[in-house]
Amino acid sequence: MRQCAAEPALAPMAADVLLVTQDLMESGAHRQPYASAASAVAEEARRGGDPRTEGRARVVLGQVHHLAGRVERAREEAERAHALGAAADDALTLGYAPNLLGLLAIFHGRHRAAAACFTQALGAFRDDGNRYGETAMLMNLGRAQLGLGQTESAIAASEQSVELWRGLGATLRLANGYYALGLALHEAGRHDEALERFHQGLVMFQESRQPYWTGMTHFRMATAHLAAARAPAAAAHGERALVLLRDIGGDRRVAGVLSVLARALRRLGQQERAHTCWQDALSLFERVGSPEAAHVRDLLAHAGNP
């Protein structure tokens, strides 16, 4: 792919290939090659004065940074991509860039801003007749609604996205739809239903060889089992999530897994292991400047030494 970037005439094709093969990048196994290729394509397009190609490449680069937990770099690339997409009047970039900004807003707990970004992206995809992009935005809008306390709306949006993904035959995105629906059902206190949807997504993620999403689904299943007072199952899923995400999930996501695992281990009476997990989580939260560090610090202070 880097060789394509070295040929100005091939840069537009390379950017499009990167966009349509994002599923490989999302797995977590090929992020560095994607980052190198997207950077090379973006730089070649910048030198050649091609904002359309540069914008598309920067969308991919921003997504790589987002999945790796490098949220500030992801935001910078998404904002640059959006400006380039506007300059080129490129509907694809004008959909993908606000979508990425919305995902980053959710990461920071800014759900109202996320909803606005997803709504903007939804309009761009609809104007372009892009059913795939439109369905993705309906699913992500449900995530934002969930953060705003609009649980029933989030469930309805997630159910709609599942049906649309099924109709489109998009297996991996259908798995994402089940994941989003599981989150909404869990938030509504319907933990067993949530676990059913998470399991449906988990099977598809495993069949698609997606270690990142497999790990994230194990994490969500751990959280649901914990809420349902099933500590052994929560610990088992938490440990699987940790193995899968430790090297590809980014510090903040790994810290979240460690926190859930610690809670499960404490309920199982494994105080020493729980204490170690919370200490590791605190270190990671502090490294990324997460406000969640204060909560873990308080837990450790009240728990004392094991």
Side-chain angles (χ1 to χ4, degrees), residues 32-50:
Q32 189 51 51
Y34 264 83
S36 299
S39 295
V41 172
E43 181 57 25
E44 180 57 45
R46 185 193 65 78
R47 287 196 298 265
D50 182 355

Side-chain angles (χ1 to χ4, degrees), residues 50-74:
D50 182 355
R52 176 183 176 277
T53 297
E54 184 183 355
R56 292 185 177 196
R58 293 201 180 280
V59 162
V60 174
L61 189 56
Q63 181 71 344
V64 173
H65 289 316
H66 165 54
L67 291 171
R70 299 185 290 268
V71 291
E72 283 307 308
R73 294 183 67 182

Side-chain angles (χ1 to χ4, degrees), residues 28-285:
H30 305 287
R31 285 184 192 159
Q32 189 51 51
Y34 264 83
S36 299
S39 295
V41 172
E43 181 57 25
E44 180 57 45
R46 185 193 65 78
R47 287 196 298 265
D50 182 355
R52 176 183 176 277
T53 297
E54 184 183 355
R56 292 185 177 196
R58 293 201 180 280
V59 162
V60 174
L61 189 56
Q63 181 71 344
V64 173
H65 289 316
H66 165 54
L67 291 171
R70 299 185 290 268
V71 291
E72 283 307 308
R73 294 183 67 182
R75 180 188 59 78
E76 291 170 3
E77 294 296 345
E79 289 177 348
R80 291 173 70 181
H82 191 262
L84 289 160
D89 193 24
D90 179 30
L92 205 58
T93 302
L94 289 173
Y96 278 121
N99 173 57
L100 180 52
L101 289 168
L103 293 173
L104 293 168
I106 284 180
F107 196 77
H108 288 295
R110 298 168 50 241
H111 296 97
R112 197 169 302 281
C117 289
F118 295 139
T119 300
Q120 181 182 357
L122 179 63
F125 285 128
R126 278 180 172 165
D127 289 345
D128 195 42
N130 188 328
R131 292 287 308 285
Y132 189 96
E134 180 181 350
T135 303
M137 292 313 100
L138 288 171
M139 181 177 68
N140 289 345
L141 190 56
R143 292 282 304 276
Q145 291 169 334
L146 193 61
L148 292 169
Q150 300 167 6
T151 308
E152 292 306 314
S153 294
I155 291 173
S158 299
E159 289 175 335
Q160 183 183 6
S161 72
V162 164
E163 291 306 312
L164 290 170
W165 285 133
R166 187 179 289 117
L168 290 169
T171 302
L172 178 58
R173 295 310 164 201
L174 177 58
N176 286 132
Y178 283 131
Y179 177 91
L181 180 54
L183 290 177
L185 291 167
H186 168 66
E187 192 65 25
R190 296 159 59 179
H191 305 304
D192 287 336
E193 292 177 72
L195 284 162
E196 289 178 12
R197 299 297 172 260
F198 285 139
H199 180 71
Q200 286 176 287
L202 180 67
V203 171
M204 293 180 175
F205 287 136
Q206 290 172 330
E207 290 175 347
S208 300
R209 297 181 181 179
Q210 289 283 329
Y212 170 79
W213 282 112
T214 299
M216 287 299 295
T217 307
H218 277 301
F219 167 47
R220 300 303 186 181
M221 294 178 81
T223 304
H225 277 298
L226 196 63
R230 292 190 284 262
H237 283 288
E239 287 170 344
R240 292 190 196 112
L242 188 60
V243 169
L244 288 162
L245 294 175
R246 189 178 289 278
D247 295 327
I248 62 174
D251 288 346
R252 187 170 175 181
R253 294 185 187 94
V254 173
V257 174
L258 285 164
S259 295
V260 170
L261 179 56
R263 290 166 59 199
L265 291 171
R266 183 178 65 175
R267 293 188 188 182
L268 292 171
Q270 299 182 32
Q271 302 299 334
E272 186 172 351
R273 288 188 63 203
H275 193 270
T276 299
C277 285
W278 266 320
Q279 285 182 318
D280 291 344
L282 177 60
S283 177
L284 293 173
F285 279 140

